[in-house]
């Protein structure tokens, strides 16, 4: 009777220590993801310049072909589809307890692909073609990459809470629900940001392709 009449004990709300740990996790994740990107970018350049992969030459030929930029609509659709797929993958990684290593793998692959494209363009057309490629593609793509890294920090916090819930003693009360809410909001913001960068990138592609290619 005593036990029945006593109020149910609820887990304590996350205190300053938990909030500090979450902030520290984000601070550690930012340079970690940047390092993962460069760990992929440098080997990608080597693969492109060494012409080890045939796909590199095909990508370079596509990027430097004026016919690859027929009109604003198709170019925008191609850029937007790739960017939206990437931010969606980051969102899904945040919903997994294994999200942190998956995010590191994502940024390593992202860097490897960008390095492969840059190295292949240089091998095919030299420094001038590389400058054209950077102006047309890399500058807008860096904006998309920044939005992805910003979103990945919040995905890391939620993923860490899920990992603690599954493999540890349990996440603090409200951490997972609050993390999901924050990640979803950042997903919508990142979605809009990458669309903006894609619009700017598509316009830049059409303009510079007519002038430089």
């Amino acid at each position: 009777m005593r036990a029945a009449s006593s109020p149910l004990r609820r887990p304590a709300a996350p205190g300053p220590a938990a909030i500090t740990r979450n902030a520290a996790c984000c601070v550690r994740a930012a340079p970690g993801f940047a390092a993962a990107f460069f760990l992929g970018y440098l080997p990608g350049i080597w693969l492109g310049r060494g012409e080890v992969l045939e796909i590199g030459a095909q990508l370079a030929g596509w990027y430097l072909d004026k016919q690859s930029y027929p009109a604003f609509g198709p170019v925008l659709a191609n850029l937007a589809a790739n960017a939206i797929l990437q931010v969606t993958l980051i969102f899904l990684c945040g919903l997994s307890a294994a999200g942190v290593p998956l995010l590191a793998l994502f940024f390593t692959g992202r860097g490897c692909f960008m390095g492969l494209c840059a190295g292949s363009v240089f091998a095919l057309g030299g420094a001038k073609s590389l400058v054209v490629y950077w102006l047309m593609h890399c500058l807008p793509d860096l904006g998309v990459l920044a939005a992805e890294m910003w979103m990945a920090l919040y995905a890391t916090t939620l993923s860490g809470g899920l990992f603690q819930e599954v493999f540890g003693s349990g996440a603090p009360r409200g951490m997972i629900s609050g993390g999901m809410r924050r990640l979803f909001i950042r997903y919508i913001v990142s979605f809009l940001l990458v669309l903006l960068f894609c619009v700017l990138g598509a316009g830049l592609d059409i303009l510079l392709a007519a002038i430089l290619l």
Side-chain angles (χ1 to χ4, degrees):
M1 295 295 294
R2 199 171 187 182
S5 61
S6 61
L8 294 176
R9 293 181 178 270
R10 302 182 65 184
I19 296 173
T20 302
R21 284 197 301 270
N22 292 342
C25 181
C26 288
V27 170
R28 289 194 300 269
F33 291 150
F37 175 82
F38 283 108
L39 284 175
Y41 190 80
L42 296 178
I45 292 177
W46 176 79
L47 288 173
R49 292 193 62 182
E51 299 182 357
V52 177
L53 299 177
E54 179 64 25
I55 190 174
Q58 296 175 1
L59 285 170
W62 186 87
Y63 281 124
L64 299 176
D65 187 359
K66 189 174 183 178
Q67 295 182 354
S68 300
Y69 313 96
F72 179 80
V75 174
L76 175 60
N78 182 46
L79 293 176
N82 290 328
I84 291 171
L85 175 61
Q86 291 168 22
V87 295
T88 302
L89 286 175
I90 293 173
F91 177 77
L92 294 176
C93 286
L95 300 180
S96 169
V100 175
L102 290 176
L103 286 169
L105 183 62
F106 168 84
F107 285 112
T108 302
R110 184 90 157 83
C112 186
F113 180 79
M114 289 183 66
L116 173 66
C117 292
S120 300
V121 167
F122 182 82
L124 180 66
K128 180 181 177 181
S129 295
L130 182 61
V131 171
V132 173
Y133 167 77
W134 265 92
L135 291 174
M136 293 180 64
H137 299 285
C138 286
L139 292 179
D141 207 24
L142 287 176
V144 174
L145 180 63
E148 291 171 351
M149 287 218 174
W150 175 71
M151 179 180 169
L153 299 181
Y154 293 90
T156 298
T157 301
L158 176 58
S159 178
L162 291 172
F163 183 88
Q164 188 176 354
E165 183 71 24
V166 175
F167 300 103
S169 57
R173 175 173 170 256
M175 179 180 178
I176 293 178
S177 60
M180 291 184 67
R181 182 173 62 253
R182 287 188 293 270
L183 180 60
F184 182 74
I185 293 172
R186 268 69 183 185
Y187 173 68
I188 298 300
V189 174
S190 298
F191 187 96
L192 297 175
L193 281 175
V194 298
L195 280 182
L196 175 61
F197 287 125
C198 288
V199 169
L200 296 175
L204 196 61
D205 285 350
I206 297 298
L207 176 63
L208 294 181
I211 298 173
L212 302 176
L213 297 181

